[in-house]
């Protein structure tokens, strides 16, 4: 993801997460940490054949722990494997950052995303009450204890 992707990403963000969409400033801040020798972030976008942004994802890496910051796929690209490819990119980045584990939060009512994460080996480890505001929706905290194995599994076609 580069600065010129922020506008289209924001449109998709607002369409998918109308109540708790990230701001332009938050995306700018994250991208500021994604460049140079001291980079701690990796953000990617996916475009369709016409060049429209149809997905994006981001990872933060600090002290051996990766944290999936965001992952989103436009509804017209659900069930195409795009979510798996984006998550795979983040897990590859986590191994590049030498992360020993990867964490994420997902809405407790987003079972579609939970199934994706489980296919990659994430396990539920806790709940954050009222994490998603303003709707006061709980977040399920999930952990992948060995991102390198998940990435190696992807290269052997086991992630589907």
């Amino acid at each position: 993801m580069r600065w010129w992707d922020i506008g289209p990403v924001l449109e998709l963000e607002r369409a998918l997460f109308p109540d708790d969409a990230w701001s332009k400033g938050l995306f700018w801040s994250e991208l500021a940490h994604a460049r140079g020798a001291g980079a701690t972030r990796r953000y990617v976008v996916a475009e369709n054949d016409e060049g429209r942004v149809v997905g994006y994802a981001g990872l933060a890496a600090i002290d051996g722990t990766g944290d999936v910051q965001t992952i989103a796929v436009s509804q017209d690209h659900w069930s195409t494997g795009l979510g798996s490819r984006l998550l795979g990119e983040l897990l590859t980045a986590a191994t590049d950052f030498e992360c020993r584990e990867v964490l994420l939060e997902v809405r407790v009512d987003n079972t579609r995303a939970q199934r994706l994460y489980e296919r990659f080996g994430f396990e539920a480890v806790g709940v954050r009450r009222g994490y998603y505001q303003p709707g006061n929706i709980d977040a399920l905290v999930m952990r992948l204890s060995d991102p390198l194995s998940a990435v190696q599994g992807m290269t052997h076609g086991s992630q589907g």
Side-chain angles (χ1 to χ4, degrees):
M1 183 183 300
R2 302 300 284 266
W3 65 266
W4 52 81
D5 295 312
I6 291 177
V9 164
L10 275 173
E11 287 181 32
L12 185 52
E13 174 82 2
R14 290 176 183 139
L16 293 171
F17 311 111
D19 294 330
D20 53 2
W22 280 21
S23 67
K24 181 190 289 188
L26 187 51
F27 277 108
W28 274 103
S29 176
E30 286 295 295
L31 288 183
H33 297 284
R35 308 279 298 160
T40 58
R41 306 289 195 276
R42 174 82 168 126
Y43 278 78
V44 296
V45 295
E47 297 179 342
N48 66 8
D49 293 338
E50 291 81 43
R52 180 175 63 92
V53 171
V54 294
Y56 57 91
L59 176 94
I62 299 172
D63 295 330
T65 298
D67 191 355
V68 173
Q69 300 291 293
T70 187
I71 186 166
V73 174
S74 66
Q75 289 183 352
D76 61 331
H77 280 73
W78 286 4
S79 300
T80 65
L82 180 55
S84 292
R85 289 192 302 276
L86 289 169
L87 183 56
E89 286 289 325
L90 296 186
L91 296 180
T92 298
T95 62
D96 292 344
F97 282 124
E98 299 180 358
C99 294
R100 295 177 299 282
E101 66 178 356
V102 177
L103 301 170
L104 60 82
E105 295 89 17
V106 58
R107 289 172 61 114
V108 294
D109 58 357
N110 190 346
T111 56
R112 176 192 244 351
Q114 290 170 34
R115 286 192 306 268
L116 168 66
Y117 302 139
E118 288 167 354
R119 283 198 313 269
F120 277 80
F122 282 85
E123 298 175 341
V125 295
V127 174
R128 292 193 174 153
R129 302 277 176 223
Y131 183 79
Y132 292 100
Q133 295 296 328
N136 202 36
I137 307 295
D138 295 344
L140 183 64
V141 180
M142 300 184 82
R143 178 178 180 261
L144 177 64
S145 59
D146 190 359
L148 180 57
S149 289
V151 168
Q152 290 170 338
M154 289 183 318
T155 61
H156 292 83
S158 66
Q159 297 305 326

